Amino acid sequence: MNEKFDERVREEALFLVSSARDYLKKLNTFLEKLKIEDFMKTLEQLHRAFGEILGLTKYMQENMDKFSETYYSVMNEMQLILQETFNITESFIRELKKRINNVS
């Protein structure tokens, strides 16, 4: 493949990681406001970004000599984002349960 294509892959992966971080911020906002529909839509967008990132990392793995730094950076960031997503989702579920118990 040519260098231009490789650079686009690198830029797209970094853009998607940045987008995933932004989705995390939105998830926190919707957690605080307990907006169920917005939370779920944002979680779906985050899931889609993860899928696209993983697709790009497959190409990076096959061309590790060109992408090792970007690959490891993206994978480390994804691990952090996934952990934070799990924590936020667990908090969201706890808050929903509290609200449901207070209504009953």
Side-chain angles (χ1 to χ4, degrees), residues 42-89:
T42 302
L43 195 57
E44 183 180 331
Q45 290 171 320
L46 182 59
H47 183 265
R48 191 174 302 124
F50 284 149
E52 291 181 33
I53 291 167
L54 289 174
L56 292 172
T57 59
K58 291 293 182 190
Y59 176 77
M60 287 184 212
Q61 283 176 319
E62 293 171 6
N63 298 282
M64 204 54 128
D65 57 316
K66 298 177 189 177
F67 289 104
S68 64
E69 185 178 327
T70 304
Y71 174 81
Y72 290 115
S73 173
V74 166
M75 294 307 288
N76 287 334
E77 191 65 30
M78 274 191 59
Q79 183 179 3
L80 295 172
I81 292 169
L82 282 168
Q83 182 60 50
E84 186 62 24
T85 300
F86 175 81
N87 293 339
I88 293 169
T89 302

Side-chain angles (χ1 to χ4, degrees), residues 13-39:
L14 296 174
F15 169 77
L16 288 167
V17 167
S18 176
S19 294
R21 280 191 224 115
D22 290 341
Y23 291 137
L24 267 183
K25 291 176 189 173
K26 287 182 181 182
L27 284 178
N28 268 318
T29 299
F30 298 139
L31 166 62
E32 292 170 9
K33 297 178 181 181
L34 212 57
K35 291 185 151 198
I36 298 170
E37 189 172 333
D38 293 333
F39 187 90

